[in-house]
Amino acid sequence: MTRDSHWRAEESVPLDTPAAIHRLRVLTVNTHKGFTALNRRFILPELREAVRATGADLVFLQEVLGEHDRHAMRYDNWPQTSQYEFLADSMWSDFAYGRNAVYPDGHHGNALLSKYPIRQFRNLDVSITGPERRGLLHCVLDVPGHAEVHGICVHLSLLESHRQLQLKLLCKLLDSLPEDAPVIIAGDFNDWQLRGNVTLARRQYLHEAFEHHHGRPARTYPARFPLLRLDRIYLRNATSHAPQILGNKPWTHLSDHLPLAVEVHL
């Protein structure tokens, strides 16, 4: 897929009808632009190996760099491609990127890596005011046995008032989707007060994987001593199984957030 944030459609004619897929392994991780907490060390190659080891079918990425000229000149092991292409490598055949923040040296945003074709994608700008630039990356996935599966990669504001407005935009997006289509929403909600969690549960018939199984969303931040419940995986028309916080090494050293993983049954 290209890094263009507009809708893109790809057509293919399968020679054989593939077997229906009813289970997807989902991972969400804030990549912190490929650096450790406090930006002490560039660790994107190590992060790629850790992500590959999960065997996830869908990987939701936040704070992933599309490009950064200054870093590319400074680090010898800086990838020749965008960070999301580098992470996808040969394991995830399709990827989509939504550029959110643009600055003189480059840009970053959300990305989704998929083992199944991404039929369409669009990046919705949900920035409110000020320097924070945020987006919702919405992908329509072609998963065998299903008319369409929707994946939405989320990274919301640090400000509560902005988050509430952004959640309304997310709800508006959800209202536009087919009522019976499976929807997977994952990412960094920055919802440390859990107010947004209540909003989504009441309005959209979603369930959050960790709250459903353990009573509360997972503690993911900061990675070394997680206290805040910032990262989430929400589902609609699907069920969650065996949710995990990836809280051991090497994950505690690969970002300032801990990743979340779950098996989704469609």
Side-chain angles (χ1 to χ4, degrees):
M1 302 296 287
T2 69
R3 67 187 67 180
D4 183 7
S5 63
H6 298 289
W7 281 111
R8 174 180 173 179
E10 295 187 354
E11 297 182 357
S12 60
V13 180
L15 298 177
D16 299 300
T17 302
I21 300 296
H22 297 294
R23 299 184 181 188
L24 296 174
R25 291 165 294 180
V26 172
L27 177 73
T28 180
V29 56
N30 184 318
T31 70
H32 198 53
K33 305 182 183 74
F35 290 86
T36 57
L38 305 178
N39 298 322
R40 290 175 176 171
R41 191 164 61 91
F42 177 63
I43 44 75
L44 192 69
E46 297 168 52
L47 179 63
R48 180 172 70 173
E49 293 309 308
V51 171
R52 287 173 63 90
T54 68
D57 299 300
L58 302 177
V59 182
F60 293 73
L61 303 171
Q62 306 88 52
E63 286 193 30
V64 62
L65 282 168
E67 61 182 51
H68 198 291
D69 294 338
R70 182 162 52 87
H71 288 339
M73 292 186 292
R74 181 178 180 183
Y75 297 97
D76 293 336
N77 58 342
W78 195 261
Q80 297 297 310
T81 62
S82 64
Q83 287 191 349
Y84 56 89
E85 291 177 272
F86 178 79
L87 290 169
D89 194 28
S90 60
M91 191 161 181
W92 290 274
S93 58
D94 274 41
F95 47 82
Y97 171 64
R99 180 170 54 187
N100 295 333
V102 180
Y103 27 82
D105 288 316
H107 50 84
H108 73 263
N110 298 331
L112 191 142
L113 315 181
S114 175
K115 290 185 178 179
Y116 300 100
I118 297 177
R119 188 186 304 167
Q120 299 173 331
F121 73 93
R122 57 177 172 172
N123 192 49
L124 303 177
D125 186 355
V126 295
S127 307
I128 307 302
T129 58
E132 275 195 329
R133 312 311 298 170
R134 304 293 185 181
L136 305 175
L137 177 62
H138 171 213
C139 300
V140 182
L141 306 171
D142 190 3
V143 179
H146 307 274
E148 55 189 53
V149 176
H150 295 263
I152 304 173
C153 190
V154 174
H155 192 189
L156 300 187
S157 174
L158 296 170
L159 298 176
E160 178 66 35
S161 59
H162 288 192
R163 284 198 301 275
Q164 289 301 321
L165 293 172
Q166 290 162 349
L167 286 168
K168 289 181 180 179
L169 294 172
L170 174 58
C171 289
K172 184 177 180 180
L173 168 59
L174 290 168
D175 287 339
S176 73
L177 304 182
E179 291 185 359
D180 58 347
V183 181
I184 304 168
I185 309 167
D188 178 1
F189 283 74
N190 276 317
D191 181 32
W192 59 276
Q193 294 177 304
L194 303 184
R195 293 176 183 173
N197 189 53
V198 174
T199 299
L200 289 175
R202 286 178 177 174
R203 289 190 55 179
Q204 291 296 335
Y205 307 103
L206 301 169
H207 85 264
E208 201 283 321
F210 290 82
E211 182 178 46
H212 180 73
H213 290 271
H214 303 298
R216 302 193 75 179
R219 296 181 189 270
T220 57
Y221 183 88
R224 298 288 183 94
F225 304 101
L227 297 172
L228 302 181
R229 306 173 191 273
L230 302 187
D231 300 88
R232 313 278 168 77
I233 300 175
Y234 290 96
L235 304 175
R236 189 170 79 181
N237 298 321
T239 58
S240 56
H241 300 265
Q244 290 182 289
I245 306 169
L246 304 184
N248 299 321
K249 289 183 179 181
W251 294 108
T252 51
H253 300 270
L254 296 180
S255 175
D256 54 348
H257 288 244
L258 292 177
L260 300 179
V262 68
E263 185 176 278
V264 175
H265 291 194
L266 303 176

